Amino acid sequence: MEELVVLVNPDDAVLGLMEKQQAHINGLLHRAFSVFLFNSKGEMLLQKRAPGKYHSPNQWTNAVCSHPRIGETYLAGAQRRLKEELGIDAELSEKFNFIYKADVGGGLWEHELDHVFIGSYESDFNLNKEEVEEVRFISPEDLDKEISENPEHFTEWFKIILEEYKHHF
């Protein structure tokens, strides 16, 4: 099934639909969401993208990043992808949104109006191995250290979103 993204202007007005990979080739602004999950120790959940992903395979990123479907709210899309990728349900709250553009290599761009959600999670995962290789929790201090020592191990958009997240909290 062809996956479509919702193209928007900077005010989130819908301009149309486009096949996801084509939107990433063209670098066109589209709707997206990012989910940050934390455990009771304040550690952030990271997922390692599956090796078969068409861009940024085997890189660490936040719990979930994806795109809402046409007619789907950002929150509903985020909850859907938690289930599809990690096999979990979690209560989420939206914290902020912003626009960014990132070169993800291979002639592909992420240019997104990104709505950022946070939530808590403590239980087991049922990973979709086509999407996620593994998950782990990490302290903010250890995450900053890992990113500074090995930035290539992390997705470009995660590094951007993480910096934006820090400005809001």
Side-chain angles (χ1 to χ4, degrees), residues 89-107:
D89 290 307
E91 191 171 315
L92 302 175
S93 60
E94 184 172 346
K95 293 304 176 186
F96 63 93
N97 65 76
F98 76 115
I99 293 173
Y100 74 92
K101 189 170 189 178
D103 182 346
V104 296

Side-chain angles (χ1 to χ4, degrees), residues 8-102:
V8 292
N9 72 13
D11 296 319
D12 202 21
V14 175
L15 302 176
L17 298 175
M18 183 175 280
E19 192 277 323
K20 180 173 75 170
Q21 192 165 356
Q22 192 60 51
H24 291 153
I25 290 168
N26 295 342
L28 298 177
L29 183 64
H30 56 278
R31 287 180 174 168
F33 52 79
S34 298
V35 177
F36 288 84
L37 290 179
F38 298 90
N39 64 18
S40 58
K41 297 183 222 171
E43 297 169 321
M44 181 186 292
L45 180 73
L46 298 181
Q47 72 149 277
K48 188 174 188 182
R49 289 170 57 85
K53 299 295 280 183
Y54 77 93
H55 73 77
S56 310
N58 298 309
Q59 288 185 312
W60 290 98
T61 197
N62 52 295
V64 169
C65 294
S66 193
H67 310 97
R69 295 176 176 151
I70 190 73
E72 181 179 54
T73 66
Y74 287 93
L75 176 60
Q79 291 170 325
R80 172 179 53 81
R81 290 305 288 173
L82 280 177
K83 191 68 140 171
E84 291 172 355
E85 292 185 28
L86 304 176
I88 67 168
D89 290 307
E91 191 171 315
L92 302 175
S93 60
E94 184 172 346
K95 293 304 176 186
F96 63 93
N97 65 76
F98 76 115
I99 293 173
Y100 74 92
K101 189 170 189 178

